[in-house]
Structure formats: C-alpha cells, structure tokens
Amino acid sequence: MHKCFVPVLASLALLASCGGGGNRLSGGGGGGGGGTGSGNSVPLTVEIGPAGPTFVNIAFVTLTICAPGTQNCQTIDNIQVDTGSSGLRIVSSVLNASLLQALPQQYVGGTTVPVVECAQFADGYSWGPVVAADLEIAGEKASGIPMQVIGDPAFTQIPTDCSSPVPNEEDTVATFGANGIIGVGVFAQDCGAACANGVISGTYYGCPSSGAGCTGIVEAADLQVPNPVTAFSADNNGVVIELPNVAAGGAASATGSLIFGIGTESNNALGTATVLATDGITGEIDVTFSAADYPQSVLDTGSNALYFTDNALSVCGATSNGAGFYCTAANLSATITTASNMQLAASFVVGDAGTMVQQSLAAYPQLGGPFGTAAPQTFDFGLPYFYNRNVFVAIEGTSAGGATGPFFAY
Amino acid sequence: MRIPNTRLGLLALALASLCLAPSAGASLGADAGSVEADRAALNGQLAVSHAGGYEVREITTPAGVHIREYLTAGGTVFALSWQGPVRPDLRQMLAGYYARYAQAAAAPHVGGHRHLAVKQPGLVVESNGRMRAFYGRAWDPSLLPAHFSVADLR
C-alpha cells in the first residue's frame, strides 16, 4: 500500500488528492520548469478550448515541455487527450521561440536531413518536424522523446502525398482545435511496424534544403513519435480516463483526472473492470447494435460524440445548432463482445442536439450523430461514453492489472 | 452526367511518381480498363466479384490499403471504398471529381479529427477513422445503378 507523503521541494505544485503513490519526481532536472506536480494524476478538463466552442467534447490537460536535459521549459495548457492515437504533437505557434529553437531536430540516420512527419487524420493532416523533448506531467517524466512540432514555419513545403488525401491543413491552433495533442492510445508508436519496414506514403519524410524536396523514408520504431507513457520510468503501461457525471443537457466544463499506469498505484487498480482486448493491428473492438455487427469499433476520447448508424433517429438540419448530429432523444443499448466471447452491455443516451448545443457549453454527454450515409462497420464510442465511467487504456504488449495490452477496460 | 476524362493524364502522372508515392489510381467515373492498368502499375493484387448488376474489383496497395471499385454493368466506376492503415491518395482516385472535393474538405465540419463528409448532388465522400485504421467511401449519386443501396458499400 503506497502512502501519500509531501514532496520536500516546496516549489512543486501539490495535488489536492494524493491517491497515487509517493514522490514520482524523476531524478533529473531538479524542480523542473514549474512542473505540473507530483504523483501519477493530473486534472483532465472538458471545456471550451483555444479554438472556441465549435470544438466540443475535447478533454484537455496541462503539461510541461523542456529542451532535453535543460531548464528551458514551458508549461502548456489545452493539450487534447486522445486515446485513439499515439504521440505528442504541439502547434508551433504555441511554443516560446527560445524553446522551439532549443528542441533538437531529428535527422535521417547519419545525415543532416531533417525528419518531418505528416500526421494523418480522417479530416485532414498536420505537418511538421520531429524533434526531441522532455515531457513532464504530474510527477512523470519522459526524457528526450520524439515529438512532432505542428506547423513549424521552417517547414512549409508540404508533399502532395501528405496533403492530397484529405486536403485540409490543420497546423494552427484554430484549425487543429487545441494547442496540441497527447495520444495515449493502445499503440506504442504512431505508425509502428509498417513505417519501420518500408516507406509508407504520407507518413515520415526526410526534407533537405530548407524544408523542400521531401522524400518518404523508413522510420525505425524507436525513432517514431511514441505514446509518451511508454517512456515514463514507471506507470508506463497505460492510462485511466476518469470524467465525472455531467448533466444531460451539457455543461460549460467538467473536470476529472488523467491517471498514468494501470495496476501500478493505489489509484489505478483494474478492480472489477471488464477487459476488452482490442485487435492488435487496428486497436478496435467488436460491437453489436440493433442486430447489426460493427467489428471495427472503438472507445475514443479523440472522437467528440457517439457516432453510429440508427435510421430511426433524425439528423439535425443545416440551420440547427446541432447540425450534423442526431435531433432525436433516445435511450439505447449496444453490446460489446470481448475476446473471450463475453457480452458486455453498453447503454447510452442520445439527446436532441438541436436544443443541447450552445455556444456557452463544451461538455455534452448525450451528443450523438450518424456515422456517414453508407453502412459503416464502426460504432464509435467517443468522449460522451467516458463521462461517469473510469476507462482503462492498456498499451500493446504490456502487463496491466493482470491482463495484457492492448485493451480497453471499464 | 458525363465527367471529363482527365484520368489518363493523371494515371501517367501516377506512374511517373510511383517510386516516390505509390498510391491507387483507379478513379470515380472512369472505365473498367483503368482498373487492370492500376493493378499492374501498383503491383497490387486484384480480386473481382460480381453481385446484383454491378461488379466489385479490389486492389491492395503496397501500404496495405484495400481499395474497392464498384462498376456498373456498362463498366463505369460509380463508387469507391477504402480501408487501411493510411489514407489512399484521393487525388488520383477521384480524378475529375477531386477539385470540388478539395474545395469542400476544408469547410467547417462537426466530426473533429475522426469524421469528414462531403455531400453534394454529384459527389459524396466520407472519410473516417484514425491512424492505423482509416475507412472511407466515395460515390457519384447520379451514376448509381438502379436498386443499388449505398449501404452495400463496404
């Protein structure tokens, strides 16, 4: 049983709840650049972010970035927490000039050619160099890990096989929707074996001569942008997302916790949570809804609503506050089938987005929407499903609470 | 509605740039002959199936993206679907449709990083998913065979 004791260094911010194990400070860096605290837990807040109220249901944390091994640090808020991706990415304009300059550029092996990444999203792409950084969050530290700087003004020549699949550039706070993103999903790196074994179009590039003339490169796994949790010295097998209950009609903000580690401290025990092993390649789970099978389903804080196909629900019209979401309220239930063929009921409520969505609110526990027109194979349990529920996200290949990642559990 | 055939030019461009950026070139509105050319150019695998008045041809790219082309009995590609760890190059796959898709792609949308839908009378494109698992569909509503349901696009 871990005891909570007060760290000796008074310059550190103390968390109100010491549910985690004792002093989690790493040895290096002394007080760290105004480090965000101790323990293995940080506040996780759903609120209107720096890009305004059109970006709903985004859960943010504050973290500290330092040039590796130095006190040249910056504490940055409004970083989106994403269980559907892996990797730390920060918008260039958010970084202090002196810090941006001090983050070492990653080069293609044995050369002076900068490595630049195209981060792919379904709605666009983010382009920018891979650098090394120290990450400090709670009392955890990841030293010298690859991180992507999005929208770095030194790299503006974007290759067409990066931009053309979905030509929507998201390299500013306004277009990205946050100051950055911390991907804490089930995968250890953002690309994995595919990018380590061959050149995959639209992923990693070597860009010589002032950011122009980029060509695709092979990128070894340990050089790829990692899930930063894997680089912590402890509490490094996953995370727990804890968000409070939120009133049905929505709220201006909701604060819970992002907890590091599964089964490593007194605040992250798996307990009676049901383990939902995911597919090892895609990170997906199997869901049944309304007698249809959705084998490519997810639990995903990076998704802002419950997206699923239900022809009985009407979709809000273009002039509605809830345009694009469901305008019919309904109490519904799906079934998640675990790897051991257990059936887990997944009940949820969809509200009328036409009346729910307001410019003054950010947290919508009943926001639901259609998953396109054509029948998908995905049931997307986005952020609404995480309210009033503690969800574990275990990293592939790790031992977590007696089970082995990748898995979700709740 | 006939689509200008700019596809041959784009295919030549695709072949020329293959060493840099291999991607699928089979395209919406184009003809069946393009499919075999694309398969050969991509060194991809092709599977063909017939169902209810239309044909489905599948190409798997070296990056592991599965692209399905849906062809009418007359041999016109009326829809595309894709699934894979990265997104395919829609510039070549949409050919003459690409410009209007590109214009619409940057418009405000509700789905955050996970969902994008372009819905126009002559073009629908849906892009979903995340790194390692992207899914999408595109079709020209005016080219759909009679009795075809978009729910059959998988």
Side-chain angles (χ1 to χ4, degrees):
Chain A
M1 179 73 70
H2 293 274
K3 286 195 172 176
C4 170
F5 62 91
V6 176
V8 173
L9 295 167
S11 61
L12 293 168
L14 300 180
L15 295 180
S17 147
C18 271
N23 186 348
R24 303 306 314 167
L25 287 181
S26 67
T36 48
S38 61
N40 66 332
S41 172
V42 285
L44 181 65
T45 303
V46 181
E47 61 184 354
I48 295 173
T54 58
F55 289 90
V56 300
N57 276 333
I58 298 187
F60 297 106
V61 289
T62 296
L63 46 74
T64 299
I65 300 295
C66 303
T70 76
Q71 301 287 309
N72 183 358
C73 303
Q74 182 179 351
T75 296
I76 305 169
D77 64 0
N78 288 127
I79 300 293
Q80 178 177 11
V81 173
D82 183 8
T83 63
S85 73
S86 291
L88 183 58
R89 303 165 209 285
I90 301 196
V91 178
S92 174
S93 63
V94 170
L95 295 170
N96 295 333
S98 65
L99 176 58
L100 177 58
Q101 207 174 349
L103 295 174
Q105 170 68 53
Q106 184 185 110
Y107 295 109
V108 177
T111 76
T112 56
V113 176
V115 174
V116 189
E117 184 178 20
C118 179
Q120 295 194 12
F121 299 102
D123 73 327
Y125 63 93
S126 294
W127 173 253
V130 179
V131 301
D134 286 354
L135 164 67
E136 296 174 358
I137 183 167
E140 313 288 0
K141 182 169 181 174
S143 299
I145 60 167
M147 173 185 109
Q148 183 187 22
V149 176
I150 293 172
D152 189 320
F155 296 92
T156 54
Q157 299 299 312
I158 303 174
T160 49
D161 62 349
C162 171
S163 59
S164 64
V166 188
N168 179 27
E169 184 179 357
E170 298 177 317
D171 288 334
T172 66
V173 172
T175 54
F176 192 79
N179 287 337
I181 190 165
I182 181 168
V184 291
V186 297
F187 296 115
Q189 311 91 14
D190 59 1
C191 184
C195 289
N197 294 336
V199 176
I200 303 296
S201 175
T203 58
Y204 285 92
Y205 297 80
C207 297
S209 61
S210 309
C214 301
T215 56
I217 59 171
V218 169
E219 180 82 340
D222 59 350
L223 296 175
Q224 294 178 24
V225 175
N227 179 337
V229 174
T230 62
F232 296 158
S233 57
D235 303 324
N236 54 19
N237 56 1
V239 298
V240 192
I241 305 288
E242 296 188 353
L243 286 173
N245 191 36
V246 173
S253 71
T255 298
S257 300
L258 171 63
I259 296 175
F260 299 108
I262 297 176
T264 61
E265 311 285 353
S266 60
N267 66 350
N268 61 21
L270 207 49
T272 55
T274 302
V275 171
L276 307 167
T278 77
D279 181 277
I281 306 284
T282 59
E284 292 161 345
I285 57 175
D286 187 21
V287 170
T288 307
F289 175 70
S290 237
D293 190 32
Y294 298 87
Q296 297 160 350
S297 297
V298 286
L299 298 174
D300 183 4
T301 63
S303 178
N304 61 12
L306 304 168
Y307 289 98
F308 60 98
T309 297
D310 189 338
N311 298 320
L313 305 179
S314 65
V315 180
C316 303
T319 57
S320 164
N321 277 354
F325 296 107
Y326 284 129
C327 257
T328 308
N331 288 7
L332 298 167
S333 186
T335 306
I336 302 175
T337 302
T338 72
S340 53
N341 263 326
M342 228 170 74
Q343 306 275 296
L344 182 66
S347 300
F348 57 97
V349 181
V350 174
D352 174 0
T355 56
M356 271 190 322
V357 176
Q358 313 284 342
Q359 293 260 329
S360 56
L361 304 182
Y364 299 94
Q366 297 184 354
L367 192 63
F371 198 112
T373 311
Q377 292 174 280
T378 300
F379 194 110
D380 177 353
F381 288 100
L383 193 76
Y385 201 67
F386 290 74
Y387 293 116
N388 200 32
R389 185 172 272 123
N390 296 346
V391 181
F392 299 79
V393 184
I395 296 169
E396 60 178 339
T398 67
S399 174
T404 303
F407 66 78
F408 298 106
Y410 68 86
Chain B
M1 177 183 169
R2 289 292 102 197
I3 309 303
N5 192 349
T6 57
R7 203 204 148 279
L8 286 178
L10 285 173
L11 178 57
L13 182 65
L15 291 172
S17 63
L18 209 53
C19 55
L20 286 181
S23 59
S27 49
L28 200 60
D31 62 29
S34 67
V35 180
E36 174 51 31
D38 299 334
R39 187 211 60 77
L42 294 167
N43 195 28
Q45 301 158 25
L46 178 68
V48 181
S49 61
H50 300 257
Y54 61 92
E55 187 175 305
V56 181
R57 303 188 182 195
E58 179 167 333
I59 292 178
T60 302
T61 74
V65 181
H66 301 286
I67 298 166
R68 285 187 177 152
E69 303 159 336
Y70 295 75
L71 296 92
T72 66
T76 300
V77 179
F78 65 88
L80 300 162
S81 68
W82 58 91
Q83 171 178 332
V86 292
R87 299 149 319 157
D89 189 346
L90 290 187
R91 183 178 37 140
Q92 294 168 320
M93 289 168 65
L94 294 183
Y97 295 85
Y98 185 81
R100 76 184 90 161
Y101 161 66
Q103 192 172 18
H109 55 283
V110 299
H113 288 311
R114 296 292 190 260
H115 308 275
L116 180 74
V118 171
K119 281 184 195 134
Q120 299 172 355
L123 176 67
V124 179
V125 183
E126 297 177 350
S127 174
N128 298 301
R130 60 224 163 270
M131 291 182 214
R132 306 210 192 192
F134 287 106
Y135 309 93
R137 288 160 181 81
W139 66 93
D140 180 345
S142 73
L143 294 180
L144 298 182
H147 311 302
F148 181 84
S149 165
V150 292
D152 294 330
L153 291 175
R154 293 202 161 259

